[in-house]
Structure formats: C-alpha cells, structure tokens
Amino acid sequence: MNILILGTGCAKCKSLEKATRDVVAEMDLDAEVTKVEDIVEIMSFGVMTTPALVIDGKVVVKGRVPDKNELKQLFTK
Amino acid sequence: MRNKKCFIKQNKKIWFVAVLLVVWILAYRVLLPFSDYLIYNVFGLEKGKHLTDAIWFFVFEFPKVLLLLTLIVFFVGIIRTFFSPERTRKALAGKTTFAGNVMASLLGIVTPFCSCSAIPLFLGFVEAGVPLGITFSFLIASPMINEVAVVLLFGMFGWKVAITYVVTGLVIAITAGWIIGRLHLEKWVEEWVYKTKMGDAGDEVIRLNFTDRLQSGFTAVREIVGKVWLYVALGIAVGAGVHGYVPEDFMAALMGKSAWYSVPLSILIGVPLYSNAAGIIPIVSVLIEKGASLGTALAFMMAVIGLSLPEMIILRKVLKLPLIVTFVGIVSIGIMIVGYLFNLIF
C-alpha cells in the first residue's frame, strides 16, 4: 500500500502524519508512508484544503484529521 | 434491518442534542443570579469595590462567552458541512464582477477554510477561472467575519455592534475585491500559479447523513472551543483587571473621538498585532468603557482579525509584494473609512 500525506507543514498536517504512522505501525501494515510538502505536487491531486490523505493514488480524506478508528477502516479497505 | 438500527442510533443522537440544548438554556439563564450569589454570598465580597467588580466581571463574562461560543460553533459546524471549498469554487468560476464579489464575500463566511490552506485554495480558485478580484473578496471576508469574532462581539457588545461588524466587514470585502479586480493586477501574481495543473479529487460532502452533520458540529466545538477558551480566559482576565482598576476616561486621549489620529494609529498597531478575536475583543470592550470610541475600536479589531501578518507571509508564495501591499493598503483604507464613519455617527 502506498500512503501519501499532503500538507504544507501546518499543525494539522503534522498530526495527520503522526496518526497515520502510528496506525500503520499498530496494524503492522506493509505500507510506505510519504509526506508530500511541495505545493505543486499537492495541487496535482486536486485538493484545496490540507491536510489530505492519499491511498494508492486516491484522495480519501481532505481538510481534516480523521481519528484513529477511521484511519484503520480506511486502511483495511 | 440495518436501516432500522441506523435510525435508532440517529434518534439517540438527536435526543442527546435536544437534552444538551435544554441544559444550555438553563445554564445561560441561571448564570447571572448564580454569579451574584457566588460573589456576594459565598465569597462575601463587598459590593462596589474595585476587586469585587473585577472578579464579578470574570466570573460572569467567561462562562457566558464560553456558552455562547459552544452553541454557535456547534451550529456553524453543522452549516459548514453543506459547503466545501470545491463547491464554492464551482459557484464562483467565471462569475462577473460585483455579483461575484458579493457572492464570494458571503461564501467566505460559511466555507470551511483555515488560513494554513490559503495557498492551495488560492491556486484552486485561480485554476478554475475564478477572477482575481473575486478570489480576494473571499480571502478578505473569510478570516474577518468568523463565528468566534461574531460571538464575542455579541457577548461583549450586544447584537447591534455584532451586526454592524458583519455588515461593514462584508462591504469592505466586496469593495476591496471589486477594486482589485478593476485594477487588473494579474501581472503581480507569481507566474507559476497560472501554470499549475490541478487534478480532480471529487467531492467528499455528498455522502453525509444527518448524524454525520451533528458529529461535525461536535467536532467543531472540540476543535475551536478547545483551542480558543484559553484566549477568551486571558482576554477576559485582562479585561476584568482594566474594568476594575483603570480610571474611566483613561483611553479617551488615545482612542477617543476627539483624537483624529486615533483611527489610523489603531490600524497601524492592529495589523502586525497577531491575535485572534477570542483574546482581543474582551480587551477592546473594556477599552470602550474607558473612553475609546466605537469607530476606533471597531477599526482596531478589524485590523487585528482581518489582516494578519502570518497570512501575508503565506500569501507571498503566490503573490508578488506589490500586490500584497496593494491588498493591505486597500483593506486598511476601507477599515479607516469604517472607523471614521462610526466615530461620526455614534
């Protein structure tokens, strides 16, 4: 699984990155988590509100930080 | 079967909200007698003393503002689920000036958006063909007219001032955006902005049901009230100190009506001063009590809340310096006119 966190470095972006890494570790997932900070690259995903979460090229969350339960659900799909 | 379960769960949540609303109304009603009872009977403080006044101010105002804040933030959180930057962008794309400026300013109030997303939002608007002036109307209205500011204005000054603030804020956002549009300043937008290609992420909003929207209300309360309560407490504590101890017309010379320089001066101080509405409004409310005039105070608050240095620095990535200066200049002049106008009328 390929997980991207889109965010320019705001507080919420950092908390999404941390939550994602925690959940990936908890679930022992075979996933690569990358933080994307370049604005042009972020825009190529079409999001206007950061942070956003991208799983395998698809934007699943934008503009908010989901709680860990929601993250788990998103990763099991 | 599943539908039924879902229905019961939804009903439970609605009942929960209804009960909370009743608790809220009761709490709001008993707050005044309770504060009096606590101060004069339990603490046994003497009426009319400076210290008593200061403590009373805090004991009454802090829970009052917090209650108002929780209620309004909850409902605004629900309202916001019906809006998204994507929808707003679609509504504004290709709009003609003025009508577009009006719409952008109004949507700026209700569209969920934090200043840390200013860049992607700006790029998204420009890419979809939203004219520059209309984008600016949005960017001016959005931080200036926010629920926290409106609640605090209502709580500390009453509804007349709150509405005045909202209306004049809208007028400034509409006019300033319109002027920027007429000046054709696209050349002062960084070149790479127009080259950015944007993907389509789809719209998340559609799949929400009523329970989800209620949940958004609770989340908004947790996030916003959880963040600003400390500033409210600090602002009201400082306000309480000033309320009890500073002499009546202390501010008259500096921020009073007779001092012609008071309006531009308060804007000059207000722009670099980065504070949120939660902290600054309680302090300003006691400044008025101490002889500052309403127009000057209004101008000061608008400058602090609407024009923030950090946001300018963020916007510098997409806008060249002359455009930022023009933007701040036009908005400042707007605020100044509002300040003088109110000093004249009231």
Side-chain angles (χ1 to χ4, degrees):
Chain A
M1 193 156 40
N2 187 5
I3 301 170
L4 300 177
I5 289 128
L6 314 180
T8 42
C10 55
K12 277 186 177 180
C13 312
K14 278 172 198 141
S15 68
L16 178 64
E17 186 186 8
K18 192 182 173 297
T20 307
R21 288 192 192 280
D22 286 353
V23 170
V24 166
E26 262 174 51
M27 293 172 75
D28 202 18
L29 287 173
D30 179 28
E32 194 188 339
V33 182
T34 321
K35 175 100 183 281
V36 179
E37 294 195 344
D38 178 47
I39 184 71
V40 176
E41 206 178 323
I42 291 176
M43 293 313 288
S44 71
F45 286 95
V47 296
M48 283 205 289
T49 42
T50 50
L53 184 70
V54 179
I55 301 177
D56 291 330
K58 195 168 171 283
V59 181
V60 288
V61 172
K62 54 190 170 180
R64 63 194 176 91
V65 183
D67 61 18
K68 286 195 172 175
N69 285 328
E70 197 186 337
L71 283 177
K72 275 179 193 161
Q73 275 181 10
L74 288 168
F75 294 150
T76 28
K77 264 178 206 166
Chain B
M1 197 52 201
R2 197 180 165 267
N3 270 342
K4 202 176 173 190
K5 238 185 206 166
C6 205
F7 184 70
I8 292 169
K9 203 179 152 199
Q10 202 160 334
N11 257 345
K12 251 188 187 167
K13 200 139 217 174
I14 293 167
W15 275 112
F16 182 58
V17 172
V19 170
L20 282 184
L21 271 177
V22 173
V23 172
W24 189 95
I25 294 167
L26 285 176
Y28 196 75
R29 291 219 130 178
V30 300
L31 188 59
L32 184 62
F34 178 75
S35 308
D36 280 341
Y37 178 75
L38 193 71
I39 298 288
Y40 302 125
N41 296 33
V42 178
F43 294 165
L45 293 170
E46 207 178 312
K47 242 178 196 169
K49 275 196 167 176
H50 286 329
L51 183 68
T52 314
D53 278 357
I55 294 175
W56 190 90
F57 186 83
F58 187 85
V59 166
F60 175 65
E61 294 292 343
F62 180 55
K64 185 185 89 180
V65 170
L66 222 52
L67 276 172
L68 285 171
L69 208 55
T70 311
L71 186 76
I72 302 300
V73 166
F74 177 71
F75 283 111
V76 171
I78 292 173
I79 294 169
R80 291 232 160 109
T81 59
F82 293 96
F83 296 87
S84 74
E86 286 79 10
R87 283 186 181 181
T88 295
R89 178 176 73 155
K90 215 177 275 171
L92 294 177
K95 277 276 162 343
T96 48
T97 38
F98 202 72
N101 292 106
V102 174
M103 224 171 123
S105 306
L106 290 170
L107 285 168
I109 304 175
V110 288
T111 308
F113 154 69
C114 95
S115 65
C116 53
S117 289
I119 300 292
L121 187 112
F122 183 85
L123 291 171
F125 273 33
V126 168
E127 216 258 350
V130 179
L132 191 64
I134 293 178
T135 306
F136 265 105
S137 280
F138 181 92
L139 285 175
I140 296 165
S142 184
M144 184 133 72
I145 308 167
N146 64 75
E147 67 274 26
V148 176
V150 175
V151 167
L152 275 139
L153 285 170
F154 172 74
M156 316 286 316
F157 293 95
W159 61 271
K160 276 185 195 161
V161 175
I163 289 176
T164 304
Y165 180 90
V166 171
V167 172
T168 47
L170 274 174
V171 171
I172 290 176
I174 292 165
T175 340
W178 180 73
I179 294 172
I180 290 173
R182 289 307 290 263
L183 290 173
H184 298 288
L185 302 174
E186 281 77 4
K187 57 179 185 290
W188 283 338
V189 175
E190 294 286 349
E191 284 83 16
W192 65 270
V193 168
Y194 290 106
K195 290 178 198 140
T196 309
K197 280 274 162 291
M198 212 178 148
D200 187 15
D203 203 336
E204 227 190 351
V205 180
I206 317 155
R207 287 167 297 166
L208 292 174
N209 62 30
F210 190 64
T211 323
D212 291 335
R213 296 189 199 278
L214 285 180
Q215 190 51 50
S216 300
F218 285 116
T219 312
V221 169
R222 205 183 57 223
E223 276 180 5
I224 297 177
V225 180
K227 198 171 68 185
V228 302
W229 72 269
L230 191 66
Y231 296 96
V232 177
L234 282 173
I236 293 181
V238 173
V242 179
H243 175 79
Y245 288 98
V246 176
E248 276 297 304
D249 45 7
F250 181 75
M251 291 308 293
L254 199 62
M255 288 178 85
K257 247 184 219 187
S258 52
W260 66 268
Y261 50 82
S262 68
V263 174
L265 186 72
S266 56
I267 294 171
L268 274 179
I269 300 170
V271 175
L273 196 70
Y274 181 58
S275 162
N276 50 33
I280 205 76
I281 291 174
I283 299 174
V284 173
S285 88
V286 280
L287 291 185
I288 289 191
E289 204 184 276
K290 302 299 173 193
S293 61
L294 184 63
T296 309
L298 209 62
F300 179 65
M301 286 187 287
M302 280 185 165
V304 173
I305 302 163
L307 290 169
S308 79
L309 209 54
E311 202 193 341
M312 302 305 140
I313 294 167
I314 292 176
L315 283 174
R316 176 64 193 86
K317 271 192 201 165
V318 282
L319 308 175
K320 290 179 183 165
L321 200 59
L323 184 48
I324 294 183
V325 173
T326 313
F327 158 58
V328 175
I330 291 174
V331 176
S332 298
I333 291 169
I335 295 175
M336 203 139 52
I337 294 170
V338 166
Y340 280 123
L341 210 61
F342 274 86
N343 280 348
L344 211 68
I345 298 170
F346 292 101

PDB file of all heavy atoms in Angstrom, chain B residues 47-59:
ATOM      1  N   LYS B  47     -19.942  44.838  47.753  1.00  0.00           N
ATOM      2  CA  LYS B  47     -20.393  45.459  46.510  1.00  0.00           C
ATOM      3  C   LYS B  47     -19.689  46.795  46.286  1.00  0.00           C
ATOM      4  O   LYS B  47     -19.419  47.513  47.227  1.00  0.00           O
ATOM      5  CB  LYS B  47     -21.906  45.699  46.577  1.00  0.00           C
ATOM      6  CG  LYS B  47     -22.660  44.930  45.505  1.00  0.00           C
ATOM      7  CD  LYS B  47     -24.149  45.145  45.623  1.00  0.00           C
ATOM      8  CE  LYS B  47     -24.837  44.070  44.800  1.00  0.00           C
ATOM      9  NZ  LYS B  47     -26.249  43.981  45.007  1.00  0.00           N
ATOM     10  N   GLY B  48     -19.383  47.095  44.999  1.00  0.00           N
ATOM     11  CA  GLY B  48     -18.868  48.417  44.669  1.00  0.00           C
ATOM     12  C   GLY B  48     -17.362  48.578  44.783  1.00  0.00           C
ATOM     13  O   GLY B  48     -16.819  49.598  44.386  1.00  0.00           O
ATOM     14  N   LYS B  49     -16.692  47.577  45.323  1.00  0.00           N
ATOM     15  CA  LYS B  49     -15.226  47.687  45.409  1.00  0.00           C
ATOM     16  C   LYS B  49     -14.594  47.298  44.070  1.00  0.00           C
ATOM     17  O   LYS B  49     -15.137  46.503  43.316  1.00  0.00           O
ATOM     18  CB  LYS B  49     -14.706  46.761  46.509  1.00  0.00           C
ATOM     19  CG  LYS B  49     -14.751  47.394  47.895  1.00  0.00           C
ATOM     20  CD  LYS B  49     -13.887  46.602  48.839  1.00  0.00           C
ATOM     21  CE  LYS B  49     -13.652  47.370  50.126  1.00  0.00           C
ATOM     22  NZ  LYS B  49     -12.904  46.589  51.081  1.00  0.00           N
ATOM     23  N   HIS B  50     -13.383  47.835  43.798  1.00  0.00           N
ATOM     24  CA  HIS B  50     -12.697  47.530  42.535  1.00  0.00           C
ATOM     25  C   HIS B  50     -12.469  46.043  42.369  1.00  0.00           C
ATOM     26  O   HIS B  50     -12.742  45.465  41.323  1.00  0.00           O
ATOM     27  CB  HIS B  50     -11.349  48.252  42.479  1.00  0.00           C
ATOM     28  CG  HIS B  50     -11.496  49.724  42.241  1.00  0.00           C
ATOM     29  ND1 HIS B  50     -12.540  50.244  41.512  1.00  0.00           N
ATOM     30  CD2 HIS B  50     -10.736  50.772  42.625  1.00  0.00           C
ATOM     31  CE1 HIS B  50     -12.427  51.553  41.466  1.00  0.00           C
ATOM     32  NE2 HIS B  50     -11.343  51.909  42.142  1.00  0.00           N
ATOM     33  N   LEU B  51     -11.962  45.393  43.411  1.00  0.00           N
ATOM     34  CA  LEU B  51     -11.637  43.969  43.324  1.00  0.00           C
ATOM     35  C   LEU B  51     -12.899  43.152  43.065  1.00  0.00           C
ATOM     36  O   LEU B  51     -12.912  42.251  42.220  1.00  0.00           O
ATOM     37  CB  LEU B  51     -10.945  43.501  44.614  1.00  0.00           C
ATOM     38  CG  LEU B  51     -10.500  42.039  44.595  1.00  0.00           C
ATOM     39  CD1 LEU B  51      -9.368  41.813  43.605  1.00  0.00           C
ATOM     40  CD2 LEU B  51     -10.080  41.572  45.988  1.00  0.00           C
ATOM     41  N   THR B  52     -13.965  43.491  43.771  1.00  0.00           N
ATOM     42  CA  THR B  52     -15.238  42.788  43.584  1.00  0.00           C
ATOM     43  C   THR B  52     -15.707  42.923  42.145  1.00  0.00           C
ATOM     44  O   THR B  52     -16.102  41.953  41.507  1.00  0.00           O
ATOM     45  CB  THR B  52     -16.314  43.367  44.522  1.00  0.00           C
ATOM     46  OG1 THR B  52     -15.748  43.504  45.817  1.00  0.00           O
ATOM     47  CG2 THR B  52     -17.520  42.459  44.586  1.00  0.00           C
ATOM     48  N   ASP B  53     -15.647  44.167  41.628  1.00  0.00           N
ATOM     49  CA  ASP B  53     -16.065  44.410  40.247  1.00  0.00           C
ATOM     50  C   ASP B  53     -15.275  43.551  39.276  1.00  0.00           C
ATOM     51  O   ASP B  53     -15.828  42.942  38.365  1.00  0.00           O
ATOM     52  CB  ASP B  53     -15.834  45.897  39.882  1.00  0.00           C
ATOM     53  CG  ASP B  53     -16.991  46.754  40.385  1.00  0.00           C
ATOM     54  OD1 ASP B  53     -17.943  46.170  40.933  1.00  0.00           O
ATOM     55  OD2 ASP B  53     -16.909  47.981  40.232  1.00  0.00           O
ATOM     56  N   ALA B  54     -13.965  43.514  39.474  1.00  0.00           N
ATOM     57  CA  ALA B  54     -13.086  42.779  38.571  1.00  0.00           C
ATOM     58  C   ALA B  54     -13.405  41.287  38.611  1.00  0.00           C
ATOM     59  O   ALA B  54     -13.540  40.628  37.576  1.00  0.00           O
ATOM     60  CB  ALA B  54     -11.617  43.020  38.927  1.00  0.00           C
ATOM     61  N   ILE B  55     -13.550  40.732  39.819  1.00  0.00           N
ATOM     62  CA  ILE B  55     -13.844  39.299  39.944  1.00  0.00           C
ATOM     63  C   ILE B  55     -15.214  38.968  39.377  1.00  0.00           C
ATOM     64  O   ILE B  55     -15.394  38.003  38.652  1.00  0.00           O
ATOM     65  CB  ILE B  55     -13.750  38.847  41.433  1.00  0.00           C
ATOM     66  CG1 ILE B  55     -12.306  38.973  41.910  1.00  0.00           C
ATOM     67  CG2 ILE B  55     -14.218  37.399  41.593  1.00  0.00           C
ATOM     68  CD1 ILE B  55     -12.126  38.684  43.379  1.00  0.00           C
ATOM     69  N   TRP B  56     -16.191  39.843  39.681  1.00  0.00           N
ATOM     70  CA  TRP B  56     -17.541  39.619  39.157  1.00  0.00           C
ATOM     71  C   TRP B  56     -17.529  39.576  37.642  1.00  0.00           C
ATOM     72  O   TRP B  56     -18.139  38.717  37.025  1.00  0.00           O
ATOM     73  CB  TRP B  56     -18.474  40.734  39.635  1.00  0.00           C
ATOM     74  CG  TRP B  56     -19.908  40.426  39.323  1.00  0.00           C
ATOM     75  CD1 TRP B  56     -20.781  39.756  40.110  1.00  0.00           C
ATOM     76  CD2 TRP B  56     -20.609  40.735  38.110  1.00  0.00           C
ATOM     77  NE1 TRP B  56     -21.986  39.627  39.468  1.00  0.00           N
ATOM     78  CE2 TRP B  56     -21.913  40.215  38.232  1.00  0.00           C
ATOM     79  CE3 TRP B  56     -20.249  41.395  36.930  1.00  0.00           C
ATOM     80  CZ2 TRP B  56     -22.864  40.333  37.232  1.00  0.00           C
ATOM     81  CZ3 TRP B  56     -21.199  41.506  35.925  1.00  0.00           C
ATOM     82  CH2 TRP B  56     -22.488  40.987  36.082  1.00  0.00           C
ATOM     83  N   PHE B  57     -16.821  40.524  37.026  1.00  0.00           N
ATOM     84  CA  PHE B  57     -16.717  40.616  35.569  1.00  0.00           C
ATOM     85  C   PHE B  57     -16.230  39.287  34.993  1.00  0.00           C
ATOM     86  O   PHE B  57     -16.800  38.755  34.044  1.00  0.00           O
ATOM     87  CB  PHE B  57     -15.733  41.745  35.205  1.00  0.00           C
ATOM     88  CG  PHE B  57     -15.651  42.040  33.735  1.00  0.00           C
ATOM     89  CD1 PHE B  57     -16.579  42.875  33.129  1.00  0.00           C
ATOM     90  CD2 PHE B  57     -14.632  41.512  32.957  1.00  0.00           C
ATOM     91  CE1 PHE B  57     -16.503  43.165  31.771  1.00  0.00           C
ATOM     92  CE2 PHE B  57     -14.545  41.796  31.592  1.00  0.00           C
ATOM     93  CZ  PHE B  57     -15.488  42.626  31.008  1.00  0.00           C
ATOM     94  N   PHE B  58     -15.195  38.732  35.613  1.00  0.00           N
ATOM     95  CA  PHE B  58     -14.641  37.473  35.097  1.00  0.00           C
ATOM     96  C   PHE B  58     -15.593  36.303  35.335  1.00  0.00           C
ATOM     97  O   PHE B  58     -15.882  35.534  34.422  1.00  0.00           O
ATOM     98  CB  PHE B  58     -13.286  37.180  35.743  1.00  0.00           C
ATOM     99  CG  PHE B  58     -12.605  35.994  35.123  1.00  0.00           C
ATOM    100  CD1 PHE B  58     -11.838  36.141  33.977  1.00  0.00           C
ATOM    101  CD2 PHE B  58     -12.752  34.725  35.679  1.00  0.00           C
ATOM    102  CE1 PHE B  58     -11.226  35.040  33.388  1.00  0.00           C
ATOM    103  CE2 PHE B  58     -12.136  33.621  35.091  1.00  0.00           C
ATOM    104  CZ  PHE B  58     -11.372  33.785  33.942  1.00  0.00           C
ATOM    105  N   VAL B  59     -16.104  36.201  36.549  1.00  0.00           N
ATOM    106  CA  VAL B  59     -16.966  35.065  36.921  1.00  0.00           C
ATOM    107  C   VAL B  59     -18.232  35.034  36.072  1.00  0.00           C
ATOM    108  O   VAL B  59     -18.752  33.980  35.742  1.00  0.00           O
ATOM    109  CB  VAL B  59     -17.311  35.131  38.429  1.00  0.00           C
ATOM    110  CG1 VAL B  59     -18.464  34.182  38.777  1.00  0.00           C
ATOM    111  CG2 VAL B  59     -16.093  34.790  39.245  1.00  0.00           C
TER     112      VAL B  59
END
